[in-house]
Amino acid sequence: MISFLLVMTEQDVIRVKRITPEMAALYTDDKWSYHVYNAADYNRALVFAGAPYELMGWDMTMAYEDEDLAGLRKDDPSQYTIVFVDDNTDPMRYLSGGIYPDELIIKPYDDGDLKRAISTGARRRGGDTKGPIRGGRIRVFNGECEEELDIEEAESIEARNRRLYIRAGCREYSFRYSLDELIKLLPEHFVRCHRSYVINSRYLDHVDNENNLLIMCNGDMVPISRAYQKEVVSL
Amino acid sequence: MIKGSAGSIILTITELKLLLSGSGAELAYIPGCGKKRGSIGYRNMAESLFRLRGEGFIERVDDKNGSIALTDIGSRIVRLVTEPERICRLIPFDKTVDELVIYSAGEELLILAPDALSGDKIRLMTMPREDFEDHIGEMLGLSMNLSASSKAAGDYASYKGKDEIYLEDLKAASPRVDMDIEGWMEGIAKTSGCKVIFAIEILGCVKAELLKSVVIARGGVTEYVLVAASDRILEVVPLYRGLMTEMII
């Protein structure tokens, strides 16, 4: 469950709620719960009782206490917060709060601005909590845009040159993540055979015991290290 | 086509040769796969053609005269390999990092690396020249905040006051005479006390003959670039932003 605190005007809440489902479908399978407060019903005690929130939207153009925002971010200063400001807002108010530039929305704004901010927040949050895999698909960047790759298309995964590389057919996609963390998110038929390699056993042709190699259907030869021989024996 | 550091395309030597046959040109240099250069069997060729078409490199095959027509992407790759303005071989001192061959023409680079999982495949990566320095910097762990000019980098090193001895020892390094690049890097590491990070061989564009050798090494506070001809050290300068791109491209 992704909890989203909205402290803003009713018009802004309507816009956020209209746009969020699109973003949610793109970045996470989790449900979103909204905690909405505006000027009329803002209740400091209730707001703090609902903490922590995964995402926050906070309107600085209204008469909420900046200390409350700082207090909600105190335990997790990197928490993603969309801050609404206008030309009259003193920049020191948000700069001193450690707000990232991509978290600012300057009024008046359009749906595109809001989409960008929410999508950045959802992605940042999603990356922290569940890793790059969602519903059996992994998000990869092809140099121009993000693509979704069915994890079953991955034949092997290699840690190399400070990155992970997923090999699927004659393509290899790279991204920054830890192999130790990724293996926890993969289905059971993905097997670690080496400190730097994980294979999808569905693409395994045979095991070359003499040379300690896994021979994949596409002819690739993936090394087996002593430390991971037990995992390979289970194949 | 995957771009930049987002990933690469993996082709067999057969497929690369087929791509090249579309232009009727010969490849100047292929890293780590000389023994695989041979004639292409019919079965291999058929499989390769299907794959190259599937990947969007080949537009059509003319059965009558046996020629192939390349797509724009296929043509760009072929042009970089067959008509490069510069070819460089990048050899990391740390053997766990990939050796690369870089072809450059205009604003674009093609980077080839032998595939570790198979003896007959090559990884291809294209990227704009402006991204090269960041890509290599990340891959080899170079300083992220390089100075903007040679003077600024030198001023920084002398301000810190610890690197003069490294600089002098690098200037006194032995030239690369009758020596392979690995042996030369080891020698420089020993005599200068610097941590050698990688070397670059700058090759001729036609016969891949060696023109210059370069070593990038880390001193106490900054990194240095040592440029050498076959028989003498040409210069040693602190590494600054843009220098690697200038040298390689």
Side-chain angles (χ1 to χ4, degrees):
Chain A
M1 181 77 77
I2 300 216
S3 56
F4 194 173
L5 171 70
L6 305 172
V7 182
M8 54 184 71
T9 65
E10 281 182 13
Q11 292 93 319
D12 289 332
V13 167
I14 291 166
R15 271 176 115 167
V16 170
K17 282 192 161 180
R18 180 165 51 79
I19 283 168
T20 310
E22 277 180 57
M23 303 291 111
L26 274 172
Y27 294 110
T28 176
D29 298 324
D30 284 356
K31 286 196 165 58
W32 290 50
S33 71
Y34 299 97
H35 305 261
V36 179
Y37 298 92
N38 48 49
D41 60 11
Y42 182 78
N43 181 316
R44 187 173 190 276
L46 280 177
V47 167
F48 275 81
Y53 303 100
E54 257 86 31
L55 294 165
M56 293 200 294
W58 194 276
D59 191 344
M60 274 196 173
T61 67
M62 300 183 69
Y64 304 114
E65 293 295 331
D66 291 353
E67 286 81 353
D68 286 3
L69 174 60
L72 288 164
R73 287 165 58 90
K74 187 178 60 158
D75 294 328
D76 182 8
S78 65
Q79 179 198 51
Y80 196 83
T81 309
I82 303 165
V83 174
F84 293 78
V85 297
D86 62 17
D87 289 340
N88 299 320
T89 312
D90 178 0
M92 285 314 292
R93 288 178 61 200
Y94 47 83
L95 287 176
S96 60
I99 303 291
Y100 294 105
D102 59 4
E103 293 171 318
L104 275 186
I105 293 214
I106 300 167
K107 289 184 166 185
Y109 62 94
D110 60 26
D111 285 1
D113 297 330
L114 198 53
K115 275 184 188 173
R116 266 192 297 280
I118 295 175
S119 121
T120 307
R123 197 182 311 167
R124 195 177 288 173
R125 200 67 220 171
D128 288 343
T129 55
K130 286 185 70 184
I133 300 175
R134 297 275 186 283
R137 302 184 75 78
I138 187 157
R139 295 192 74 81
V140 290
F141 183 62
N142 67 16
E144 284 186 335
C145 60
E146 282 195 330
E147 278 181 28
E148 281 204 341
L149 180 74
D150 188 333
I151 195 63
E152 289 308 328
E153 289 180 44
E155 295 163 12
S156 60
I157 302 167
E158 181 184 359
R160 183 177 81 230
N161 302 346
R162 298 175 174 84
R163 281 174 166 257
L164 292 189
Y165 291 82
I166 293 188
R167 188 172 290 218
C170 71
R171 285 159 191 266
E172 200 180 53
Y173 297 92
S174 109
F175 60 102
R176 288 195 193 89
Y177 206 69
S178 139
L179 196 57
D180 290 338
E181 291 302 315
L182 190 71
I183 189 80
K184 293 176 194 164
L185 307 172
L186 292 168
E188 277 184 6
H189 56 276
F190 281 80
V191 177
R192 182 96 179 243
C193 58
H194 188 276
R195 184 168 55 92
S196 306
Y197 293 99
V198 166
I199 62 138
N200 181 347
S201 60
R202 289 179 180 162
Y203 291 94
L204 176 67
D205 189 77
H206 67 278
V207 181
D208 177 352
N209 284 315
E210 199 173 316
N211 297 305
N212 281 331
L213 292 171
L214 295 173
I215 311 299
M216 307 299 286
C217 297
N218 64 3
D220 284 354
M221 295 173 284
V222 184
I224 307 166
S225 68
R226 194 181 293 266
Y228 293 96
Q229 263 174 343
K230 269 187 190 168
E231 280 86 336
V232 174
V233 167
S234 70
L235 289 172
Chain B
M1 179 79 183
I2 305 174
K3 285 187 172 174
S5 52
S8 47
I9 296 285
I10 301 161
L11 294 182
T12 62
I13 304 297
T14 304
E15 287 159 352
L16 192 57
K17 281 185 165 183
L18 263 176
L19 263 184
L20 291 168
S21 71
S23 73
E26 264 294 314
L27 187 65
Y29 178 72
I30 309 178
C33 49
K35 64 182 177 185
K36 293 287 177 182
R37 285 185 176 195
S39 61
I40 304 169
Y42 283 116
R43 194 181 154 193
N44 252 348
M45 191 192 290
E47 283 174 0
S48 300
L49 280 172
F50 276 119
R51 222 157 82 96
L52 289 170
R53 275 186 79 160
E55 285 301 320
F57 295 126
I58 289 180
E59 197 170 335
R60 63 190 153 71
V61 180
D62 187 340
D63 288 338
K64 284 180 188 165
N65 59 21
S67 67
I68 57 174
L70 302 179
T71 59
D72 283 349
I73 296 172
S75 303
R76 265 171 47 211
I77 289 176
V78 167
R79 186 179 66 86
L80 281 159
V81 178
T82 57
E83 301 170 28
E85 289 163 13
R86 190 161 285 181
I87 305 175
C88 299
R89 181 171 165 243
L90 190 150
I91 309 104
F93 193 60
D94 173 358
K95 290 293 164 213
T96 64
V97 183
D98 290 333
E99 181 181 321
L100 308 175
V101 175
I102 303 143
Y103 299 83
S104 70
E107 293 301 307
E108 198 164 31
L109 300 183
L110 176 71
I111 300 179
L112 298 193
D115 183 36
L117 296 185
S118 57
D120 66 343
K121 290 181 188 167
I122 287 185
R123 293 198 313 270
L124 285 84
M125 182 187 283
T126 60
M127 68 173 60
R129 57 183 285 176
E130 68 203 35
D131 293 349
F132 175 75
E133 201 163 69
D134 288 340
H135 176 70
I136 296 299
E138 184 194 334
M139 182 178 145
L140 292 162
L142 296 180
S143 304
M144 298 305 285
N145 297 313
L146 290 174
S147 302
S149 68
S150 177
K151 185 177 181 310
D155 288 350
Y156 175 70
S158 56
Y159 165 72
K160 288 283 182 178
K162 295 176 187 167
D163 261 21
E164 276 162 18
I165 187 130
Y166 289 116
L167 187 57
E168 291 309 312
D169 287 345
L170 280 172
K171 283 178 180 169
S174 301
R176 184 186 165 189
V177 181
D178 296 333
M179 211 183 291
D180 63 16
I181 194 84
E182 287 83 5
W184 190 50
M185 280 195 280
E186 276 174 26
I188 290 173
K190 274 184 196 159
T191 57
S192 69
C194 288
K195 184 174 185 248
V196 172
I197 308 169
F198 64 98
I200 298 168
E201 287 183 334
I202 298 171
L203 307 174
C205 292
V206 180
K207 293 181 180 171
E209 71 279 20
L210 180 65
L211 302 178
K212 270 194 286 192
S213 305
V214 177
V215 159
I216 282 79
R218 186 171 296 135
V221 294
T222 191
E223 286 139 2
Y224 294 94
V225 178
L226 183 155
V227 184
S230 60
D231 57 349
R232 65 188 191 281
I233 304 294
L234 297 173
E235 63 176 341
V236 181
V237 290
L239 181 63
Y240 59 90
R241 181 152 279 280
L243 178 59
M244 274 204 298
T245 314
E246 272 173 38
M247 271 189 325
I248 288 175
I249 301 163

